[in-house]
Amino acid sequence: MKPLKKLSTTLITATTLITATMLISAAPGIAHAAETSIYMNPNAGITKYWQTNPTTFGQPLTKENCVKGKGCEQLFEKGLITWNTRNGVKALTGADKAKAFENAGGIAKFGALEGDSWNNTYCGPIVTTWDGTTRHLVVVADSAKSKAGSSIDLNSTEGVQWKKDRATSGKCFDAVPETPAEPTDPTQLDWSKATYVEKNQALVLMTDTTAYVIAADANGTPKAGATAFEVPFIKVRGIDALYSEMGYPIAAPVTHGTVTTQEFSGGTYTFDTAKISSYDGKPMYPTTSINIEGAKVLAKESPWYTFTGNFQQINDHLYVEDIGDTLFVFNSNDGQATEMSQALFDEYVKNPEFFGKLGVYYYNRESGYTSNTFHPSEGTTLEVNPSYTASFKYVLRNDADLKILKQGYIDHEPAWDLQDPATVDWSKATYTDYPGLPGEEGGALYVQDHNTWIIIKANADHTPVAGAKAVRSQWLGTSALGQDRGTWTQSTEWEHGDWNGYPEETATLGVPVAEAETVVENGVTYQTQRFEHGSIKWEVPSSRLATQTEEVKNAVISLDADAKEILEQWWIANVDWYKPQAN
């Protein structure tokens, strides 16, 4: 029987074999053998990563392919997962992007992924890889900037030169040839009828069909030698779409399908006529990717701090102006800039893949509250807030429905030195007469100790009951941290009853009489704890810093039968609407 038992365990742990008839699509060039199976090694990092969210990647299309010195990869219906010793397990989401990477050469040519794709300012959707010797940049989707499959060795002579020149040229290393329309001669337009936009140092002239923009001087006249360019999105969205940091156009618009891109002095506009606003039925406002000049304008326009736009270059894509407590940060890779604290910047530099693209900075002068948003992937927003003394709380949401995808803390708090319950000065503790059976004399004393309460049974005169033992409760202590947020938590019910002051099951538990015990079920950590008149089972938060109600789950309360009956009879006797009604 022992060999059979061992075999059964292996089969349960392992991923099932996937038959070829279940496959929906495969990358070009991959042969399909009828009714064959794709085995997934249950011990492989790729398999374990896929098992965490198989719906994201779909079913496997190929078996795991390993190339000596470069790593391993496996193609799925909706993406690609790779592994090597340097990068660990990384994923590229999106079937088309995965196929583009494979068609360009895959792991055999480029090595393993360093992360998911992101929209590079100069080349559009790209990934970076490590092949054991050098880093590569691979374009994984067509755009107005480059074509899928283009690649460059970032450490080669060409790669180093391109990184040096790109902020100035604004071009990808393998830019798509452009055929822009001929610029309009400004002498043929009547600029006396134009609108001067001071913040952009530009003149805007509307015609019946389009709009033209030209760089202007402080007097509102075209600059000598300046060229006028058509700017189609202004005719659709108005002059408000000219953002101050973007300046004026320096090239004609380039259109591919529904998408038009146009270079301005401060960066690049992208306008997609297929993306319609639900508010007014028009194409949505254009998106922007700023360059260093645009970043300088944004820095000087900060509504909260005084920046000069004099940046210090940190690496090949990060530029920073430091004024003490706050930094202004520009990332030339994603063409975005924002304010953030030095502490948050340190985290951002350490783990750029976790944070993703720079978002928005919020600051309340009165309260001092600050918040930063980032975009780890398309369609998601990561909000990061300072927490405690040196830590950060983060919440990742889906933009479409605001569903929380992930939340937690970057914890840099010193280790907590929890108090010995035997040393508590109970004369300074908080007293409540609710815990215990309804009508029972006395109650409990408690003190907050970080995310726990130390509790002891108490007399009505607010002194500990003789011989009573002080016991710690992380469940009540953690629940209490959310009380100042306008919520009625389980710790509130234990201390004060329900909204009407009536006793509930929570208070009827009484005081804890044994230390909590930890159990793990299906990968989830719980605490169980015995109280005077029942017990609780509580899912422990992933972080000791958790305070929000969405992070701190309610405990499942199990009252003893006699305590439940006493509580029931109290409600019948004291609450009119609860009393049984006569027929």
PDB file of all heavy atoms in Angstrom, residues 424-452:
ATOM      1  N   VAL A 424       1.620  44.535  32.892  1.00  0.00           N
ATOM      2  CA  VAL A 424       0.637  45.571  32.575  1.00  0.00           C
ATOM      3  C   VAL A 424       0.186  46.298  33.847  1.00  0.00           C
ATOM      4  O   VAL A 424      -0.115  45.662  34.873  1.00  0.00           O
ATOM      5  CB  VAL A 424      -0.588  44.966  31.854  1.00  0.00           C
ATOM      6  CG1 VAL A 424      -1.684  46.019  31.698  1.00  0.00           C
ATOM      7  CG2 VAL A 424      -0.178  44.416  30.498  1.00  0.00           C
ATOM      8  N   ASP A 425       0.145  47.627  33.791  1.00  0.00           N
ATOM      9  CA  ASP A 425      -0.398  48.442  34.875  1.00  0.00           C
ATOM     10  C   ASP A 425      -1.891  48.599  34.608  1.00  0.00           C
ATOM     11  O   ASP A 425      -2.318  49.443  33.818  1.00  0.00           O
ATOM     12  CB  ASP A 425       0.295  49.799  34.900  1.00  0.00           C
ATOM     13  CG  ASP A 425      -0.227  50.694  36.027  1.00  0.00           C
ATOM     14  OD1 ASP A 425      -1.167  50.271  36.748  1.00  0.00           O
ATOM     15  OD2 ASP A 425       0.297  51.816  36.180  1.00  0.00           O
ATOM     16  N   TRP A 426      -2.719  47.777  35.259  1.00  0.00           N
ATOM     17  CA  TRP A 426      -4.148  47.743  34.945  1.00  0.00           C
ATOM     18  C   TRP A 426      -4.879  48.996  35.399  1.00  0.00           C
ATOM     19  O   TRP A 426      -6.011  49.249  34.959  1.00  0.00           O
ATOM     20  CB  TRP A 426      -4.783  46.494  35.560  1.00  0.00           C
ATOM     21  CG  TRP A 426      -4.261  45.234  34.923  1.00  0.00           C
ATOM     22  CD1 TRP A 426      -3.414  44.324  35.466  1.00  0.00           C
ATOM     23  CD2 TRP A 426      -4.518  44.805  33.587  1.00  0.00           C
ATOM     24  NE1 TRP A 426      -3.126  43.330  34.555  1.00  0.00           N
ATOM     25  CE2 TRP A 426      -3.796  43.610  33.388  1.00  0.00           C
ATOM     26  CE3 TRP A 426      -5.278  45.296  32.530  1.00  0.00           C
ATOM     27  CZ2 TRP A 426      -3.810  42.901  32.198  1.00  0.00           C
ATOM     28  CZ3 TRP A 426      -5.313  44.604  31.342  1.00  0.00           C
ATOM     29  CH2 TRP A 426      -4.583  43.425  31.182  1.00  0.00           C
ATOM     30  N   SER A 427      -4.246  49.808  36.236  1.00  0.00           N
ATOM     31  CA  SER A 427      -4.895  51.067  36.646  1.00  0.00           C
ATOM     32  C   SER A 427      -4.966  52.050  35.482  1.00  0.00           C
ATOM     33  O   SER A 427      -5.745  53.006  35.521  1.00  0.00           O
ATOM     34  CB  SER A 427      -4.135  51.695  37.809  1.00  0.00           C
ATOM     35  OG  SER A 427      -2.838  52.133  37.396  1.00  0.00           O
ATOM     36  N   LYS A 428      -4.172  51.814  34.440  1.00  0.00           N
ATOM     37  CA  LYS A 428      -4.164  52.693  33.267  1.00  0.00           C
ATOM     38  C   LYS A 428      -4.868  52.044  32.069  1.00  0.00           C
ATOM     39  O   LYS A 428      -4.838  52.580  30.963  1.00  0.00           O
ATOM     40  CB  LYS A 428      -2.722  53.035  32.890  1.00  0.00           C
ATOM     41  CG  LYS A 428      -1.974  53.800  33.982  1.00  0.00           C
ATOM     42  CD  LYS A 428      -0.547  54.107  33.567  1.00  0.00           C
ATOM     43  CE  LYS A 428       0.184  54.873  34.668  1.00  0.00           C
ATOM     44  NZ  LYS A 428       1.605  55.146  34.297  1.00  0.00           N
ATOM     45  N   ALA A 429      -5.502  50.896  32.292  1.00  0.00           N
ATOM     46  CA  ALA A 429      -6.162  50.178  31.208  1.00  0.00           C
ATOM     47  C   ALA A 429      -7.567  50.732  30.959  1.00  0.00           C
ATOM     48  O   ALA A 429      -8.116  51.494  31.767  1.00  0.00           O
ATOM     49  CB  ALA A 429      -6.241  48.687  31.540  1.00  0.00           C
ATOM     50  N   THR A 430      -8.160  50.338  29.837  1.00  0.00           N
ATOM     51  CA  THR A 430      -9.527  50.719  29.493  1.00  0.00           C
ATOM     52  C   THR A 430     -10.490  49.642  29.994  1.00  0.00           C
ATOM     53  O   THR A 430     -10.257  48.442  29.790  1.00  0.00           O
ATOM     54  CB  THR A 430      -9.677  50.860  27.970  1.00  0.00           C
ATOM     55  OG1 THR A 430      -8.773  51.855  27.504  1.00  0.00           O
ATOM     56  CG2 THR A 430     -11.093  51.250  27.588  1.00  0.00           C
ATOM     57  N   TYR A 431     -11.583  50.094  30.618  1.00  0.00           N
ATOM     58  CA  TYR A 431     -12.570  49.159  31.151  1.00  0.00           C
ATOM     59  C   TYR A 431     -13.820  49.146  30.277  1.00  0.00           C
ATOM     60  O   TYR A 431     -14.261  50.182  29.781  1.00  0.00           O
ATOM     61  CB  TYR A 431     -12.964  49.549  32.581  1.00  0.00           C
ATOM     62  CG  TYR A 431     -14.103  48.713  33.136  1.00  0.00           C
ATOM     63  CD1 TYR A 431     -13.869  47.427  33.628  1.00  0.00           C
ATOM     64  CD2 TYR A 431     -15.405  49.214  33.153  1.00  0.00           C
ATOM     65  CE1 TYR A 431     -14.916  46.654  34.123  1.00  0.00           C
ATOM     66  CE2 TYR A 431     -16.458  48.449  33.651  1.00  0.00           C
ATOM     67  CZ  TYR A 431     -16.208  47.163  34.131  1.00  0.00           C
ATOM     68  OH  TYR A 431     -17.245  46.402  34.610  1.00  0.00           O
ATOM     69  N   THR A 432     -14.411  47.973  30.093  1.00  0.00           N
ATOM     70  CA  THR A 432     -15.701  47.843  29.424  1.00  0.00           C
ATOM     71  C   THR A 432     -16.503  46.775  30.150  1.00  0.00           C
ATOM     72  O   THR A 432     -15.963  45.735  30.547  1.00  0.00           O
ATOM     73  CB  THR A 432     -15.553  47.452  27.942  1.00  0.00           C
ATOM     74  OG1 THR A 432     -16.854  47.117  27.419  1.00  0.00           O
ATOM     75  CG2 THR A 432     -14.627  46.262  27.754  1.00  0.00           C
ATOM     76  N   ASP A 433     -17.799  47.050  30.347  1.00  0.00           N
ATOM     77  CA  ASP A 433     -18.613  46.073  31.073  1.00  0.00           C
ATOM     78  C   ASP A 433     -19.406  45.158  30.137  1.00  0.00           C
ATOM     79  O   ASP A 433     -20.226  44.368  30.596  1.00  0.00           O
ATOM     80  CB  ASP A 433     -19.559  46.767  32.057  1.00  0.00           C
ATOM     81  CG  ASP A 433     -20.516  47.734  31.381  1.00  0.00           C
ATOM     82  OD1 ASP A 433     -20.510  47.806  30.136  1.00  0.00           O
ATOM     83  OD2 ASP A 433     -21.259  48.428  32.104  1.00  0.00           O
ATOM     84  N   TYR A 434     -19.191  45.241  28.837  1.00  0.00           N
ATOM     85  CA  TYR A 434     -19.950  44.414  27.897  1.00  0.00           C
ATOM     86  C   TYR A 434     -19.483  42.955  27.825  1.00  0.00           C
ATOM     87  O   TYR A 434     -20.308  42.041  27.759  1.00  0.00           O
ATOM     88  CB  TYR A 434     -19.913  45.035  26.495  1.00  0.00           C
ATOM     89  CG  TYR A 434     -21.028  46.018  26.272  1.00  0.00           C
ATOM     90  CD1 TYR A 434     -20.883  47.344  26.652  1.00  0.00           C
ATOM     91  CD2 TYR A 434     -22.232  45.636  25.710  1.00  0.00           C
ATOM     92  CE1 TYR A 434     -21.895  48.256  26.472  1.00  0.00           C
ATOM     93  CE2 TYR A 434     -23.266  46.537  25.518  1.00  0.00           C
ATOM     94  CZ  TYR A 434     -23.097  47.852  25.905  1.00  0.00           C
ATOM     95  OH  TYR A 434     -24.121  48.750  25.729  1.00  0.00           O
ATOM     96  N   PRO A 435     -18.167  42.684  27.766  1.00  0.00           N
ATOM     97  CA  PRO A 435     -17.755  41.286  27.566  1.00  0.00           C
ATOM     98  C   PRO A 435     -18.267  40.366  28.678  1.00  0.00           C
ATOM     99  O   PRO A 435     -18.127  40.658  29.877  1.00  0.00           O
ATOM    100  CB  PRO A 435     -16.227  41.368  27.579  1.00  0.00           C
ATOM    101  CG  PRO A 435     -15.920  42.767  27.173  1.00  0.00           C
ATOM    102  CD  PRO A 435     -17.005  43.586  27.789  1.00  0.00           C
ATOM    103  N   GLY A 436     -18.879  39.270  28.286  1.00  0.00           N
ATOM    104  CA  GLY A 436     -19.442  38.319  29.232  1.00  0.00           C
ATOM    105  C   GLY A 436     -20.911  38.079  28.939  1.00  0.00           C
ATOM    106  O   GLY A 436     -21.481  38.625  27.986  1.00  0.00           O
ATOM    107  N   LEU A 437     -21.559  37.263  29.738  1.00  0.00           N
ATOM    108  CA  LEU A 437     -22.972  36.970  29.549  1.00  0.00           C
ATOM    109  C   LEU A 437     -23.818  38.205  29.827  1.00  0.00           C
ATOM    110  O   LEU A 437     -23.482  39.010  30.721  1.00  0.00           O
ATOM    111  CB  LEU A 437     -23.393  35.831  30.482  1.00  0.00           C
ATOM    112  CG  LEU A 437     -22.689  34.487  30.244  1.00  0.00           C
ATOM    113  CD1 LEU A 437     -23.074  33.497  31.332  1.00  0.00           C
ATOM    114  CD2 LEU A 437     -23.005  33.941  28.868  1.00  0.00           C
ATOM    115  N   PRO A 438     -24.911  38.431  29.073  1.00  0.00           N
ATOM    116  CA  PRO A 438     -25.773  39.597  29.326  1.00  0.00           C
ATOM    117  C   PRO A 438     -26.233  39.638  30.782  1.00  0.00           C
ATOM    118  O   PRO A 438     -26.691  38.636  31.335  1.00  0.00           O
ATOM    119  CB  PRO A 438     -26.951  39.358  28.376  1.00  0.00           C
ATOM    120  CG  PRO A 438     -26.395  38.520  27.287  1.00  0.00           C
ATOM    121  CD  PRO A 438     -25.395  37.624  27.942  1.00  0.00           C
ATOM    122  N   GLY A 439     -26.065  40.795  31.422  1.00  0.00           N
ATOM    123  CA  GLY A 439     -26.466  40.958  32.806  1.00  0.00           C
ATOM    124  C   GLY A 439     -25.421  40.527  33.808  1.00  0.00           C
ATOM    125  O   GLY A 439     -25.591  40.734  35.020  1.00  0.00           O
ATOM    126  N   GLU A 440     -24.320  39.954  33.322  1.00  0.00           N
ATOM    127  CA  GLU A 440     -23.264  39.495  34.226  1.00  0.00           C
ATOM    128  C   GLU A 440     -22.552  40.688  34.858  1.00  0.00           C
ATOM    129  O   GLU A 440     -22.284  41.697  34.200  1.00  0.00           O
ATOM    130  CB  GLU A 440     -22.264  38.627  33.455  1.00  0.00           C
ATOM    131  CG  GLU A 440     -21.142  38.060  34.307  1.00  0.00           C
ATOM    132  CD  GLU A 440     -20.154  37.226  33.485  1.00  0.00           C
ATOM    133  OE1 GLU A 440     -20.340  37.147  32.251  1.00  0.00           O
ATOM    134  OE2 GLU A 440     -19.210  36.689  34.070  1.00  0.00           O
ATOM    135  N   GLU A 441     -22.246  40.595  36.131  1.00  0.00           N
ATOM    136  CA  GLU A 441     -21.551  41.660  36.842  1.00  0.00           C
ATOM    137  C   GLU A 441     -20.101  41.740  36.361  1.00  0.00           C
ATOM    138  O   GLU A 441     -19.436  40.730  36.150  1.00  0.00           O
ATOM    139  CB  GLU A 441     -21.577  41.381  38.346  1.00  0.00           C
ATOM    140  CG  GLU A 441     -21.013  42.511  39.202  1.00  0.00           C
ATOM    141  CD  GLU A 441     -21.965  43.685  39.340  1.00  0.00           C
ATOM    142  OE1 GLU A 441     -23.148  43.550  38.941  1.00  0.00           O
ATOM    143  OE2 GLU A 441     -21.543  44.727  39.834  1.00  0.00           O
ATOM    144  N   GLY A 442     -19.596  42.970  36.218  1.00  0.00           N
ATOM    145  CA  GLY A 442     -18.205  43.144  35.807  1.00  0.00           C
ATOM    146  C   GLY A 442     -18.035  43.123  34.294  1.00  0.00           C
ATOM    147  O   GLY A 442     -18.999  43.209  33.535  1.00  0.00           O
ATOM    148  N   GLY A 443     -16.789  43.020  33.873  1.00  0.00           N
ATOM    149  CA  GLY A 443     -16.501  43.041  32.443  1.00  0.00           C
ATOM    150  C   GLY A 443     -15.054  42.701  32.169  1.00  0.00           C
ATOM    151  O   GLY A 443     -14.585  41.633  32.560  1.00  0.00           O
ATOM    152  N   ALA A 444     -14.326  43.634  31.523  1.00  0.00           N
ATOM    153  CA  ALA A 444     -12.940  43.356  31.147  1.00  0.00           C
ATOM    154  C   ALA A 444     -12.120  44.632  31.139  1.00  0.00           C
ATOM    155  O   ALA A 444     -12.643  45.739  30.945  1.00  0.00           O
ATOM    156  CB  ALA A 444     -12.893  42.697  29.772  1.00  0.00           C
ATOM    157  N   LEU A 445     -10.829  44.476  31.348  1.00  0.00           N
ATOM    158  CA  LEU A 445      -9.840  45.540  31.177  1.00  0.00           C
ATOM    159  C   LEU A 445      -8.930  45.151  30.024  1.00  0.00           C
ATOM    160  O   LEU A 445      -8.608  43.965  29.844  1.00  0.00           O
ATOM    161  CB  LEU A 445      -9.008  45.720  32.450  1.00  0.00           C
ATOM    162  CG  LEU A 445      -9.698  46.345  33.658  1.00  0.00           C
ATOM    163  CD1 LEU A 445      -8.901  46.050  34.924  1.00  0.00           C
ATOM    164  CD2 LEU A 445      -9.866  47.845  33.457  1.00  0.00           C
ATOM    165  N   TYR A 446      -8.522  46.162  29.240  1.00  0.00           N
ATOM    166  CA  TYR A 446      -7.606  45.838  28.144  1.00  0.00           C
ATOM    167  C   TYR A 446      -6.660  47.008  27.890  1.00  0.00           C
ATOM    168  O   TYR A 446      -6.970  48.169  28.192  1.00  0.00           O
ATOM    169  CB  TYR A 446      -8.370  45.488  26.864  1.00  0.00           C
ATOM    170  CG  TYR A 446      -9.031  46.663  26.184  1.00  0.00           C
ATOM    171  CD1 TYR A 446      -8.338  47.449  25.253  1.00  0.00           C
ATOM    172  CD2 TYR A 446     -10.352  47.005  26.474  1.00  0.00           C
ATOM    173  CE1 TYR A 446      -8.947  48.526  24.628  1.00  0.00           C
ATOM    174  CE2 TYR A 446     -10.961  48.082  25.863  1.00  0.00           C
ATOM    175  CZ  TYR A 446     -10.254  48.840  24.943  1.00  0.00           C
ATOM    176  OH  TYR A 446     -10.845  49.929  24.331  1.00  0.00           O
ATOM    177  N   VAL A 447      -5.491  46.686  27.311  1.00  0.00           N
ATOM    178  CA  VAL A 447      -4.546  47.699  26.832  1.00  0.00           C
ATOM    179  C   VAL A 447      -4.143  47.318  25.413  1.00  0.00           C
ATOM    180  O   VAL A 447      -4.057  46.139  25.064  1.00  0.00           O
ATOM    181  CB  VAL A 447      -3.288  47.792  27.724  1.00  0.00           C
ATOM    182  CG1 VAL A 447      -3.639  48.306  29.103  1.00  0.00           C
ATOM    183  CG2 VAL A 447      -2.581  46.454  27.811  1.00  0.00           C
ATOM    184  N   GLN A 448      -3.931  48.349  24.589  1.00  0.00           N
ATOM    185  CA  GLN A 448      -3.463  48.115  23.219  1.00  0.00           C
ATOM    186  C   GLN A 448      -1.958  47.908  23.237  1.00  0.00           C
ATOM    187  O   GLN A 448      -1.222  48.677  23.860  1.00  0.00           O
ATOM    188  CB  GLN A 448      -3.808  49.309  22.325  1.00  0.00           C
ATOM    189  CG  GLN A 448      -3.414  49.143  20.862  1.00  0.00           C
ATOM    190  CD  GLN A 448      -4.506  48.489  20.039  1.00  0.00           C
ATOM    191  OE1 GLN A 448      -5.683  48.747  20.221  1.00  0.00           O
ATOM    192  NE2 GLN A 448      -4.110  47.624  19.114  1.00  0.00           N
ATOM    193  N   ASP A 449      -1.486  46.871  22.573  1.00  0.00           N
ATOM    194  CA  ASP A 449      -0.051  46.600  22.451  1.00  0.00           C
ATOM    195  C   ASP A 449       0.237  46.309  20.986  1.00  0.00           C
ATOM    196  O   ASP A 449       0.089  45.178  20.532  1.00  0.00           O
ATOM    197  CB  ASP A 449       0.332  45.411  23.334  1.00  0.00           C
ATOM    198  CG  ASP A 449       1.849  45.195  23.388  1.00  0.00           C
ATOM    199  OD1 ASP A 449       2.591  46.131  23.051  1.00  0.00           O
ATOM    200  OD2 ASP A 449       2.273  44.089  23.773  1.00  0.00           O
ATOM    201  N   HIS A 450       0.572  47.379  20.252  1.00  0.00           N
ATOM    202  CA  HIS A 450       0.751  47.296  18.797  1.00  0.00           C
ATOM    203  C   HIS A 450      -0.535  46.777  18.155  1.00  0.00           C
ATOM    204  O   HIS A 450      -1.560  47.423  18.299  1.00  0.00           O
ATOM    205  CB  HIS A 450       1.980  46.457  18.447  1.00  0.00           C
ATOM    206  CG  HIS A 450       3.265  47.092  18.892  1.00  0.00           C
ATOM    207  ND1 HIS A 450       3.792  48.201  18.274  1.00  0.00           N
ATOM    208  CD2 HIS A 450       4.108  46.794  19.920  1.00  0.00           C
ATOM    209  CE1 HIS A 450       4.912  48.568  18.882  1.00  0.00           C
ATOM    210  NE2 HIS A 450       5.125  47.741  19.889  1.00  0.00           N
ATOM    211  N   ASN A 451      -0.511  45.655  17.460  1.00  0.00           N
ATOM    212  CA  ASN A 451      -1.724  45.165  16.801  1.00  0.00           C
ATOM    213  C   ASN A 451      -2.444  44.111  17.642  1.00  0.00           C
ATOM    214  O   ASN A 451      -3.172  43.272  17.124  1.00  0.00           O
ATOM    215  CB  ASN A 451      -1.397  44.602  15.418  1.00  0.00           C
ATOM    216  CG  ASN A 451      -0.527  43.379  15.480  1.00  0.00           C
ATOM    217  OD1 ASN A 451       0.151  43.131  16.474  1.00  0.00           O
ATOM    218  ND2 ASN A 451      -0.527  42.589  14.409  1.00  0.00           N
ATOM    219  N   THR A 452      -2.248  44.146  18.964  1.00  0.00           N
ATOM    220  CA  THR A 452      -2.914  43.196  19.856  1.00  0.00           C
ATOM    221  C   THR A 452      -3.538  43.924  21.038  1.00  0.00           C
ATOM    222  O   THR A 452      -3.199  45.087  21.317  1.00  0.00           O
ATOM    223  CB  THR A 452      -1.921  42.147  20.408  1.00  0.00           C
ATOM    224  OG1 THR A 452      -1.016  42.778  21.326  1.00  0.00           O
ATOM    225  CG2 THR A 452      -1.110  41.500  19.280  1.00  0.00           C
TER     226      THR A 452
END
